[in-house]
Amino acid sequence: MHMARKPLIAGNWKMNNTIGEAVVLAQEISNNFEKDWLETVDVAVCPPYTDLKPVYSVFEFDKLKVGVGAQNVFWEPSGAYTGEISVPMLTGIGCAWCIVGHSERRQHFGETNEDVNKKVHALLADRTRPIDPIICVGESLSVREEGTYVAFVDAQVRAAFAGVDAGVAKDCVVAYEPIWAIGTGRTATPEQAQEVCAAIRVTLADLFGQETADSIRVLYGGSMNEGNADTLLAQPDIDGGLIGGASLKAASFIQIVKAAL
Ligand code: PEP
């Protein structure tokens, strides 16, 4: 079944790059990209909101089908929510992806499992110009050391997908990102990452049936780089990567994309 899932390599730029820097990075990615890679691997970059349109325009001009994604979204379509950005606004830009529930949002901005679920529903509501959620889950170091990480991640996945139909659940991507591996250089071993990604698929099968679970991509994220991408991506239940630090350099990001070919 693994072969049936096209890998996805997604860069999470976090709060980095002004418009000028973002355009330079997108152009470097484009200049070093071979279009036929996209037959084998889906590729996306998720810049800050202010860079979404300029980055989209670079790829559009070059006729390169690298997707553009947001790092967050609010669940209401419009209204008195100062500072927030809605799904229709992202649709208008041409976003194909949206990260939801990143651990940094859960940690620093108090996002709850319920918030994540509302965002997932908001993204899945309109499938005409779809923005597919990349739902982030993952345990802290203390949960890892307690040994309860599979149950913890299972609960996060169930909460994120609460009330979602199998028919649209297949459009979602789940990213397993152990917090202790994010930005720390302490990558999960391929075995550690595979264990939890496989457990996520068991949860998805329980929720939606095996066929749907087998079609949902489960990514690994956490200090993935050009040196370790190969062995992580070789695991049967790891269908790609969500890349933070290493996505900020075109050469590293391209090397990771190539590791998924
Ligand atoms: C992330 O934050 O999604 C991430 C995986 O970061 P890094 O690759 O820098 O650990």
Side-chain angles (χ1 to χ4, degrees):
M1 278 317 285
H2 187 218
M3 295 313 288
R5 294 188 293 272
K6 191 178 183 186
L8 168 65
I9 300 295
N12 172 14
W13 291 7
K14 310 194 185 192
M15 196 177 72
N16 293 293
N17 293 328
T18 61
I19 289 183
E21 293 163 341
V23 167
V24 167
L25 177 53
Q27 194 64 64
E28 278 176 1
I29 292 170
S30 181
N31 290 349
N32 292 286
F33 210 99
E34 291 184 24
K35 287 186 178 141
D36 61 3
W37 294 343
L38 294 170
E39 288 162 23
T40 324
V41 57
D42 285 336
V43 179
V45 296
C46 302
Y49 289 134
T50 46
D51 298 337
L52 284 170
K53 192 68 187 177
V55 167
Y56 180 89
S57 300
V58 168
F59 296 139
E60 188 186 38
F61 186 83
D62 289 353
K63 297 191 169 47
L64 179 66
K65 295 210 174 317
V66 167
V68 172
Q71 298 172 15
N72 183 32
V73 71
F74 189 56
W75 54 79
E76 293 293 344
S78 63
Y81 302 101
T82 302
E84 293 299 315
I85 296 289
S86 69
V87 175
M89 293 169 181
L90 298 181
T91 305
I93 283 176
C95 282
W97 304 97
C98 184
I99 297 172
V100 180
H102 192 278
S103 61
E104 288 155 13
R105 296 216 53 85
R106 296 180 192 254
Q107 273 183 307
H108 305 309
F109 304 99
E111 268 191 29
T112 65
N113 279 334
E114 290 69 34
D115 296 339
V116 172
N117 180 243
K118 286 184 192 161
K119 293 176 182 198
V120 169
H121 278 282
L123 288 163
L124 294 176
D126 183 1
R127 297 282 82 198
T128 49
R129 289 172 69 195
I131 302 178
D132 293 346
I134 301 174
I135 302 166
C136 299
V137 297
E139 80 286 357
S140 64
L141 185 60
S142 63
V143 170
R144 166 67 47 173
E145 285 172 347
E146 278 165 19
T148 54
Y149 51 93
V150 168
F152 182 88
V153 170
D154 170 81
Q156 282 185 321
V157 172
R158 288 178 190 278
F161 281 96
V164 171
D165 293 334
V168 284
K170 64 170 175 24
D171 294 344
C172 296
V173 172
V174 179
Y176 169 57
E177 300 207 304
I179 294 168
W180 46 271
I182 296 181
T184 57
R186 184 179 163 184
T187 319
T189 65
E191 294 72 27
Q192 286 174 321
Q194 163 61 23
E195 181 196 16
V196 182
C197 290
I200 288 170
R201 204 173 310 283
V202 170
T203 302
L204 294 172
D206 186 42
L207 291 171
F208 303 117
Q210 194 63 50
E211 199 179 324
T212 299
D214 283 338
S215 71
I216 296 176
R217 288 178 286 195
V218 180
L219 313 184
Y220 167 77
S223 300
M224 195 189 268
N225 58 41
E226 61 268 52
N228 58 33
D230 263 44
T231 49
L232 287 160
L233 296 173
Q235 300 300 311
D237 285 288
I238 300 179
D239 309 315
L242 184 55
I243 327 293
S247 74
L248 294 172
K249 292 240 173 0
S252 310
F253 187 61
I254 293 276
Q255 282 306 116
I256 298 169
V257 170
K258 284 167 123 178
L261 292 175

